[in-house]
């Protein structure tokens, strides 16, 4: 209103001054947004535990400032009377700029989310670190394709045929790479769901055991204790029943089956067995020293009264050493105490045949 009132006095300088004022206002708005993000939002995000909000604020800061300046330039150009004949061209140009601006905004936002996911959610493993660039490239390609189609549509270019062609081409590629894509998405599922991770000791439903050495795009590598390597397709692994001996914790129980003769004093057997177990736990590497071992009688066997001794180790592979030491120590103590571990025997009774 003020400019309109002063226009007769400003003459030929009126439009120039109006453009300058619009640019100055857009700069002021950009500075105000920058101040709000820096002093207000940023201080709030610093108080949260997650870094996602910090990364998002940093990602959108420059695009928002750029958007404010571009808005000022747009209105400035439309305010110039000698450019009124080029209004349609200006609109088309800024349509392109707007599409590119939205694409930039989305790319920076998605990149911030992917970085946060890689730093706070995914484990620091080689396989998962390799997946971050893949996620980023896929996101960039999707955003780029959407931006291209949107831009073509805004410029009046028919995209129906192009979309149909892309759909048919994508279907053909998907069919040609069906097995590869199946393994790839199975690998992504394993990394996202994380039923296993590198370094875990697992057992498959096929009976194979070993340490997870690598989770790749197509296969997962497992190293057995015998230093052999098993290579499993990700699709097969994702559909298998897996026992993870390192989840939820590495510490686990070890059950050792034992049997004593029927003539044994079971109270004495229990007392001696627990005493031996405690001593072995304290001196064996990898055993949980403060664990209280116990036994449970379970059946009357053919030759012995069978029971289980429950011990505890810090991780799965320690069970072999602990079982080894416990069996040696228990046999030695049983021999000393006169406790019999009976040989497998079978009594056969013959019926007497009457002789006429």
């Amino acid at each position: 209103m003020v400019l309109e009132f002063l226009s007769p006095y400003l003459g030929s300088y009126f439009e120039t001054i109006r453009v300058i004022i619009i640019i100055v206002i857009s700069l002021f708005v950009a500075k105000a947004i920058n101040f709000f993000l820096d002093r207000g939002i940023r201080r709030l995000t610093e108080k949260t535990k997650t870094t996602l909000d910090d990364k998002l604020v940093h990602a959108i800061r420059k695009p928002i400032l750029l958007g404010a300046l571009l808005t000022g330039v747009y209105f400035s150009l439309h305010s110039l009377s000698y450019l009124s004949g080029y209004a349609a061209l200006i609109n088309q140009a800024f349509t392109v700029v707007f599409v590119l601006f939205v694409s930039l905004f989305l790319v920076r936002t998605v990149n911030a989310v992917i970085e946060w996911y890689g730093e706070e959610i995914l484990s620091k493993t080689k396989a998962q670190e390799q997946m971050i660039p893949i996620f980023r490239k896929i996101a960039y390609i999707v955003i780029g394709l959407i931006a291209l189609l949107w831009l073509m549509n805004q410029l009046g270019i028919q995209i129906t045929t192009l979309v149909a062609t892309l759909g048919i081409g994508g279907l053909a590629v998907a069919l040609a790479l069906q097995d590869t894509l199946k393994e790839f998405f199975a690998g992504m599922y394993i990394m996202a769901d994380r039923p296993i991770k590198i370094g875990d000791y697992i057992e498959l439903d096929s009976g194979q055991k070993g340490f997870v050495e690598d989770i790749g795009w197509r296969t997962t590598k497992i190293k057995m204790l015998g230093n052999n390597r098993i290579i499993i397709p990700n699709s097969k692994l994702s559909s298998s029943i897996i026992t993870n001996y390192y989840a939820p914790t590495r510490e686990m129980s070890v059950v050792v089956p034992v049997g004593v003769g029927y003539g044994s004093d079971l109270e004495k057997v229990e007392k001696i067995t627990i005493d031996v177990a405690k001593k072995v736990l304290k001196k064996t590497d990898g055993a949980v020293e403060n664990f209280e071992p116990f036994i449970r009688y379970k059946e009357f066997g053919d030759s012995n009264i069978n029971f289980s001794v429950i011990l505890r180790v810090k991780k799965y592979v320690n069970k072999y050493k602990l079982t080894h030491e416990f069996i040696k120590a228990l046999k030695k103590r049983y021999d000393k105490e006169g406790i019999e571990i009976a040989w497998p025997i079978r009594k056969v009774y013959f019926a007497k045949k009457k002789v006429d």
Side-chain angles (χ1 to χ4, degrees):
M1 295 294 292
V2 176
L3 287 177
E4 295 294 336
F5 175 76
L6 295 176
S7 59
Y9 304 99
L10 296 176
S12 60
Y13 298 103
F14 170 71
E15 289 187 349
T16 303
I17 294 173
R18 184 168 59 182
V19 167
I20 293 173
I21 290 175
I22 293 174
I23 296 296
V24 169
I25 291 174
S26 64
L27 288 172
F28 176 78
V29 171
K31 286 290 185 180
I33 293 172
N34 183 59
F35 178 83
F36 176 71
L37 291 175
D38 188 51
R39 300 295 177 89
I41 302 299
R42 194 172 180 180
R43 288 183 179 180
L44 292 176
T45 59
E46 289 176 350
K47 298 178 181 179
T48 60
K49 294 181 180 179
T50 181
T51 60
L52 176 60
D53 45 11
D54 300 271
K55 291 183 179 297
L56 286 175
V57 170
H58 179 73
I60 67 175
R61 185 174 180 176
K62 288 183 179 179
I64 289 178
L65 297 179
L66 179 61
L69 293 176
L70 289 174
T71 302
V73 172
Y74 175 79
F75 285 109
S76 297
L77 293 176
H78 273 289
S79 69
L80 296 173
S81 59
Y82 59 85
L83 292 179
S84 59
Y86 301 96
L89 183 62
I90 293 173
N91 288 336
Q92 280 192 340
F94 270 87
T95 297
V96 175
V97 172
F98 177 73
V99 172
L100 294 176
F101 168 76
V102 173
S103 301
L104 174 65
F105 184 87
L106 291 176
V107 164
R108 290 179 64 88
T109 302
V110 169
N111 189 55
V113 174
I114 291 175
E115 284 186 1
W116 164 79
Y117 186 76
E119 292 175 4
E120 294 192 14
I121 304 299
L122 290 182
S123 303
K124 296 298 182 180
T125 62
K126 179 181 176 182
Q128 291 176 341
E129 287 179 355
Q130 290 174 346
M131 293 302 294
I132 293 299
I134 297 176
F135 290 149
R136 187 178 284 112
K137 288 179 181 178
I138 291 174
Y140 289 173
I141 291 172
V142 171
I143 294 173
L145 285 174
I146 294 174
L148 177 62
L149 295 174
W150 184 18
L151 182 60
M152 293 174 67
N153 184 60
Q154 292 296 319
L155 295 177
I157 301 173
Q158 292 295 326
I159 63 172
T160 306
T161 305
L162 179 61
V163 171
T165 303
L166 289 175
I168 295 172
L171 180 61
V173 172
L175 290 174
L177 302 176
Q178 183 177 4
D179 292 337
T180 301
L181 290 174
K182 180 175 68 173
E183 304 299 344
F184 173 74
F185 285 111
M188 291 181 63
Y189 160 75
I190 292 171
M191 293 178 192
D193 190 55
R194 294 189 296 173
I196 60 174
K197 58 182 182 294
I198 293 177
D200 284 353
Y201 190 86
I202 65 172
E203 179 178 2
L204 306 178
D205 52 8
S206 59
Q208 296 163 313
K209 300 179 183 179
F211 291 97
V212 179
E213 196 173 41
D214 183 46
I215 304 173
W217 302 354
R218 299 186 66 254
T219 61
T220 295
K221 298 177 179 64
I222 298 176
K223 185 178 180 181
M224 303 176 70
L225 291 179
N227 206 30
N228 301 315
R229 177 180 288 174
I230 307 170
I231 301 176
I232 307 171
N234 287 331
S235 60
K236 186 173 183 180
L237 183 66
S238 63
S239 61
S240 298
I241 298 175
I242 303 172
T243 303
N244 191 339
Y245 291 104
Y246 279 11
T249 62
R250 295 191 175 192
E251 190 175 300
M252 60 172 286
S253 297
V254 178
V255 180
V256 182
V258 186
V260 293
Y262 276 89
S264 303
D265 182 347
L266 297 186
E267 292 292 338
K268 180 180 178 182
V269 169
E270 182 175 4
K271 181 179 179 181
I272 290 172
T273 304
I274 291 177
D275 181 60
V276 172
K278 287 181 178 179
K279 292 178 180 178
V280 172
L281 285 173
K282 289 181 179 180
K283 69 177 184 179
T284 304
D285 293 336
V288 180
E289 299 179 6
N290 59 351
F291 178 72
E292 290 293 329
F294 58 95
I295 75 170
R296 289 295 181 264
Y297 291 105
K298 61 179 182 177
E299 63 180 359
F300 292 98
D302 292 337
S303 307
N304 291 308
I305 295 177
N306 298 320
F307 60 93
S308 298
V309 182
I310 293 82
L311 310 172
R312 202 158 184 83
V313 291
K314 295 177 180 177
K315 58 183 179 179
Y316 183 86
V317 292
N318 298 137
K319 65 177 286 187
Y320 299 108
K321 177 67 173 177
L322 179 62
T323 303
H324 171 80
E325 296 295 337
F326 176 69
I327 290 175
K328 288 198 305 180
L330 188 64
K331 175 63 169 60
K332 184 177 180 180
R333 183 70 179 273
Y334 277 5
D335 289 343
K336 181 179 178 181
E337 299 290 341
I339 298 174
E340 178 189 13
I341 300 175
W343 296 93
I345 59 174
R346 185 181 299 274
K347 293 182 179 180
V348 180
Y349 295 90
F350 295 95
K352 292 182 180 181
K353 185 177 181 181
K354 293 182 179 181
V355 180
D356 295 334

